[in-house]
């Protein structure tokens, strides 16, 4: 049974503010908590992470993700992906098309001639069926119909979120299709470890388990080249502040107006719960730290590059350019058109399964 009576004791969010009906489907607010007082709030509209209350080095809680206080605010926001699940294909597909099984598939396009994040509606703008199993676990399910946004196959998707007492937000993705298709799911939460709306993320210190990245052209599409990060602004092999090279006169930075790149995860023997470390982020003022683990081959690192007009979020907080970062474990962009990249083809009746962990710590 769904627990829809709860109100957030930390963020102040209320279930009734998220009650709405879209296409005859009801929306609401669903809250996970752990024994440490960490709290994650979701809405089933786009499966969005609405708020995430995390303690700092002094034990003070703060909301560290962008979000809004009502469904209406999400619908009206020009940034359509804040906190949402992304699918059927995260990131970009060039020319809104791909070729598979001797057939060409035309997709909806929503970024020039390319498709971004699954198309006009994708997975981020639909209502997901919701089952809250406990205070620590919630399951979202959805059936993406054959040729929805142009993709073949009826794809059944299940995403499970678990908030552990180790301050981990675990995300388990599963899917199965009745035809061969392509799938690439991720979560698009916008993080600021000082607190959402608390200034830029330029002082956050990032360390990446990545020696290579996929080079992009001026349209943000991979050229097919996988290049070394050494001697580029994309080198985070050693801890470095985000702002140190955010405005460098380098083609890759200029094309993206900052960081919006896919980093290739280095294989490592240092596994955590059978996953590989993608990146660590430390915010020195608050002492909050975040580690991201995944079984995907890469992750998109994005620094909120185009919010020149502020977005007003929860509690009237304003969100500007470079006020948040995203780390999105996923397959490489445009993989359906790049045989040299890891395959994203999901065979008929094959199980798509992948896991991401956002682990939160603090240091004094």
């Amino acid at each position: 049974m769904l627990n829809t009576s709860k109100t957030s004791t930390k963020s102040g969010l209320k279930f009734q503010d998220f009650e709405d009906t879209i296409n005859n489907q009801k929306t609401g607010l669903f809250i996970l908590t752990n024994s440490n007082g960490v709290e994650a709030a979701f809405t089933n509209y786009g499966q969005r992470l609405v708020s995430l209350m995390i303690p700092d080095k002094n034990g003070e809680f703060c909301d560290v993700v962008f979000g809004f206080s009502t469904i209406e605010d999400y619908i009206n926001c020009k940034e359509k992906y804040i906190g949402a699940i992304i699918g059927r294909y995260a990131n970009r597909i060039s020319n809104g098309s791909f070729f598979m099984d001797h057939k060409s598939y035309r997709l909806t396009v929503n970024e020039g001639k390319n498709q971004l994040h699954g198309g006009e509606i994708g997975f981020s703008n639909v209502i997901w069926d919701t089952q809250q199993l406990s205070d620590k676990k919630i399951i979202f399910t959805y059936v993406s119909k054959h040729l929805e946004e142009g993709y073949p196959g009826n794809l059944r998707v299940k995403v499970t979120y678990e908030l552990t007492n180790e301050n981990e937000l675990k995300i388990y993705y599963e899917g199965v299709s009745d035809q061969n298709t392509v799938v690439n799911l991720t979560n698009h939460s916008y993080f600021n470890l000082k607190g959402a709306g608390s200034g830029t993320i330029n002082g956050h210190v990032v360390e990446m388990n990545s020696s290579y990245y996929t080079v992009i052209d001026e349209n943000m599409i991979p050229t097919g080249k996988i290049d070394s990060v050494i001697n580029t602004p994309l080198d985070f092999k050693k801890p470095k502040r985000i702002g140190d090279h955010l405005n460098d006169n380098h083609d890759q930075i200029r094309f993206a107006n900052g960081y919006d790149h896919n980093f290739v995860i280095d294989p490592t023997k240092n596994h955590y719960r059978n996953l590989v470390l993608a990146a660590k982020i430390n915010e020195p003022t608050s002492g909050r730290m975040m580690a991201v683990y995944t079984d995907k081959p890469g992750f998109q690192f994005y620094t909120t590059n185009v919010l020149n007009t502020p977005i007003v979020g929860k509690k009237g907080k304003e969100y500007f350019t470079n006020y948040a970062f995203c780390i999105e474990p996923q397959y490489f962009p445009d993989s359906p058109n790049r045989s040299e990249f890891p395959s994203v083809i999901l065979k008929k009746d094959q199980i798509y399964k992948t896991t991401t962990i956002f682990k939160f710590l603090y240091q004094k």
Side-chain angles (χ1 to χ4, degrees):
M1 296 293 292
L2 295 180
N3 185 348
T4 59
S5 61
K6 294 170 66 174
T7 295
S8 167
T9 57
K10 289 188 167 64
S11 68
L13 296 170
K14 297 179 180 180
F15 176 83
Q16 54 265 36
D17 293 331
F18 285 80
E19 285 186 300
D20 205 338
T21 300
I22 302 174
N23 296 327
N24 296 317
Q25 295 175 289
K26 293 182 179 180
T27 63
L29 184 73
F30 309 93
I31 299 169
L32 303 182
T33 58
N34 71 6
S35 61
N36 304 315
V38 172
E39 180 185 276
F42 297 86
T43 175
N44 56 337
Y45 175 62
Q47 200 187 115
R48 285 170 165 82
L49 177 61
V50 176
S51 72
L52 184 61
M53 304 296 295
I54 301 291
D56 66 6
K57 61 187 177 183
N58 299 314
E60 296 293 327
F61 283 81
C62 187
D63 191 350
V64 298
V65 295
F66 278 12
F68 301 98
S69 300
T70 68
I71 292 295
E72 184 179 7
D73 287 341
Y74 278 107
I75 293 172
N76 293 332
C77 179
K78 62 184 178 181
E79 286 285 304
K80 297 298 184 183
Y81 309 112
I82 289 177
I85 185 175
I86 304 299
R88 185 176 301 196
Y89 197 92
N91 221 306
R92 295 170 173 88
I93 295 181
S94 63
N95 298 309
S97 65
F98 66 92
F99 191 80
M100 183 183 68
D101 297 336
H102 311 292
K103 183 177 180 180
S104 179
Y105 290 93
R106 296 294 305 175
L107 309 175
T108 56
V109 295
N110 60 332
E111 189 184 59
K113 62 181 181 179
N114 306 314
Q115 187 187 86
L116 173 66
H117 292 335
E120 288 291 340
I121 297 175
F123 287 3
S124 54
N125 293 298
V126 299
I127 310 303
W128 289 69
D129 291 333
T130 312
Q131 183 181 15
Q132 185 161 353
L133 301 183
S134 69
D135 286 342
K136 292 185 174 65
K137 186 177 289 188
I138 190 169
I139 294 175
F140 295 97
T141 55
Y142 177 67
V143 178
S144 175
K145 294 182 179 180
H146 176 56
L147 296 182
E148 182 176 288
E149 303 283 9
Y151 291 96
N154 294 293
L155 178 70
R156 303 182 68 87
V157 182
K158 180 172 78 170
V159 184
T160 304
Y161 293 84
E162 181 182 6
L163 182 62
T164 74
N165 289 332
E166 289 74 41
N167 293 353
E168 304 159 328
L169 183 60
K170 295 182 177 180
I171 312 176
Y172 306 96
Y173 303 90
E174 298 176 66
V176 63
S177 175
D178 61 3
Q179 294 184 38
N180 291 355
T181 191
V182 297
V183 182
N184 184 28
L185 307 181
T186 195
N187 174 274
H188 207 313
S189 289
Y190 289 55
F191 295 95
N192 184 324
L193 299 182
K194 283 191 298 185
S198 296
T200 74
I201 40 85
N202 293 358
H204 285 55
V205 177
V206 176
E207 181 179 4
M208 294 183 180
N209 180 30
S210 174
S211 300
Y212 297 91
Y213 70 100
T214 52
V215 179
I216 58 172
D217 64 19
E218 63 273 15
N219 295 312
M220 305 293 293
I221 298 296
T223 65
K225 184 177 181 181
I226 297 177
D227 211 350
S228 171
V229 300
I230 302 300
N231 296 322
T232 77
L234 290 87
D235 185 359
F236 289 90
K237 288 288 290 180
K238 293 182 179 179
K240 182 174 68 178
R241 293 184 305 174
I242 291 175
D244 285 353
H245 300 285
L246 190 58
N247 299 303
D248 278 16
N249 185 24
H250 184 281
D251 280 351
Q252 292 299 296
I253 297 297
R254 287 192 293 105
F255 291 160
N257 293 311
Y259 294 105
D260 192 0
H261 296 82
N262 172 67
F263 288 82
V264 181
I265 298 175
D266 291 342
T268 176
K269 294 181 180 179
N270 298 318
H271 289 75
Y272 178 77
R273 302 191 188 279
N274 296 317
L275 304 177
V276 176
L277 176 70
K280 293 180 180 178
I281 306 92
N282 170 34
E283 200 291 295
T285 304
S286 66
R288 293 188 184 92
M289 301 175 63
M290 173 176 149
V292 183
Y293 300 91
T294 184
D295 50 13
K296 286 288 181 67
F299 63 92
Q300 192 81 2
F301 179 57
Y302 175 56
T303 48
T304 322
N305 300 327
V306 291
L307 295 187
N308 297 319
T309 301
I311 291 174
V312 180
K314 293 163 291 188
K315 296 184 178 179
K317 294 280 189 178
E318 291 188 324
Y319 307 149
F320 290 90
T321 295
N322 303 142
Y323 264 45
F325 66 88
C326 304
I327 291 189
E328 308 158 59
Q330 58 189 259
Y331 286 103
F332 301 172
D334 204 28
S335 288
N337 294 309
R338 291 289 177 184
S339 60
E340 63 269 41
F341 290 174
S343 175
V344 293
I345 294 176
L346 180 69
K347 297 289 187 179
K348 176 184 176 181
D349 297 329
Q350 179 184 358
I351 304 298
Y352 175 94
K353 187 175 289 188
T354 183
T355 302
T356 291
I357 295 178
F358 296 114
K359 183 174 178 64
F360 297 91
L361 311 134
Y362 60 86
Q363 61 178 11
K364 295 185 177 182

